[in-house]
């Protein structure tokens, strides 16, 4: 079992899964981040199976946004931001598979690229109750539609999940 903490959330993956906090990789921070004038990175990469997908392994690309304490203040569109992170992270995996100095990062990148399928998840937490102080500023269905449009050639079934909804559709837990 692998547990990865991102902010106030802990993602726990089944024992046979391999999961890493990609934006903490030495390769990303020291070798790839400055590529092409600067790159973005998703939070978590995980390799494993999901329910019915027993034919080969799946690479899960997971971006985490938690707006329960601090609401989003960036003027850019969330869908555009996540799509750019996915694009840059996938490019980073290709480069890491060949050029990473850390052997474990190079090995993970090679295993990720050998996965039979690729899935993308935006884990989006917002205040459960609407209030003037902490309103729900992002409509998850709108973000999901935008991500599906932007990333359809990568994963036409992009998911936007939150703690209350994720348990029924993925194999890992979030607390």
């Amino acid at each position: 079992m692998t547990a990865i903490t991102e902010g106030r959330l802990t993602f726990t993956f089944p024992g046979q899964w391999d999961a890493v906090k990609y934006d903490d990789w030495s390769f990303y921070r020291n070798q790839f981040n400055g590529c092409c004038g600067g790159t973005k990175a998703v939070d978590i990469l995980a390799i494993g199976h999901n329910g019915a997908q027993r034919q080969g392994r799946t690479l899960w690309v997971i971006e985490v946004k938690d707006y329960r304490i601090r609401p989003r203040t960036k003027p850019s569109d969330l869908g555009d931001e996540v799509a750019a992170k996915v694009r840059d992270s996938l490019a980073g995996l290709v480069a890491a598979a060949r050029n990473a100095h850390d052997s474990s990062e190079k090995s993970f990148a090679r295993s990720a690229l050998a996965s039979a399928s690729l899935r993308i998840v935006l884990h989006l937490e917002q205040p459960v109750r609407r209030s003037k102080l902490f309103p729900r500023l992002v409509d998850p269905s709108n973000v999901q539609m935008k991500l599906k449009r932007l990333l359809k050639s990568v994963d036409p079934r992009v998911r936007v999940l939150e703690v209350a909804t994720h348990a029924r559709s993925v194999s890992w837990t979030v607390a």
Side-chain angles (χ1 to χ4, degrees):
M1 180 177 343
T2 301
I4 295 177
T5 300
E6 176 63 30
R8 294 179 17 182
L9 297 168
T10 300
F11 292 74
T12 304
F13 296 90
Q16 65 276 31
W17 283 51
D18 194 8
V20 297
K21 194 162 177 351
Y22 175 70
D23 57 358
D24 281 351
W25 269 18
S26 169
F27 175 79
Y28 171 69
R29 294 201 175 272
N30 301 320
Q31 293 178 253
F32 191 71
N33 191 19
C35 180
C36 304
T39 61
K40 305 270 184 185
V42 297
D43 297 300
I44 299 170
L45 298 173
I47 303 170
H49 295 285
N50 183 37
Q53 291 187 342
R54 293 284 177 208
Q55 310 231 349
R57 297 173 61 95
T58 300
L59 170 63
W60 291 86
V61 178
I62 304 166
E63 174 62 15
V64 181
K65 297 291 184 190
D66 189 349
Y67 299 133
R68 292 177 295 179
I69 301 300
R70 281 186 252 147
R72 182 174 177 80
T73 57
K74 290 183 179 177
S76 62
D77 181 85
L78 179 59
D80 291 337
E81 178 184 330
V82 172
K85 285 185 173 195
V86 168
R87 178 197 62 210
D88 290 354
S89 297
L90 294 175
L93 273 178
V94 172
R98 299 192 184 278
N99 301 323
H101 298 309
D102 183 307
S103 61
S104 65
E105 293 175 358
K106 183 182 275 188
S107 175
F108 183 93
R110 288 180 174 169
S111 181
L113 295 175
S115 297
S117 60
L118 172 65
R119 299 299 315 273
I120 300 167
V121 170
L122 168 60
H123 187 94
L124 176 63
E125 291 294 334
Q126 298 186 81
V128 175
R129 293 184 181 172
R130 293 176 187 232
S131 72
K132 289 182 179 178
L133 187 58
F134 297 108
R136 289 181 68 113
L137 296 175
V138 178
D139 182 341
S141 61
N142 287 344
V143 174
Q144 185 164 343
M145 290 298 293
K146 180 149 192 178
L147 288 171
K148 283 182 176 181
R149 184 171 47 82
L150 292 172
L151 298 169
K152 66 183 174 189
S153 62
V154 178
D155 176 12
R157 299 175 293 155
V158 174
R159 293 181 181 173
V160 177
L161 304 175
E162 59 187 321
V163 168
T165 62
H166 90 279
R168 294 180 298 254
S169 58
V170 293
S171 299
W172 63 85
T173 61
V174 182

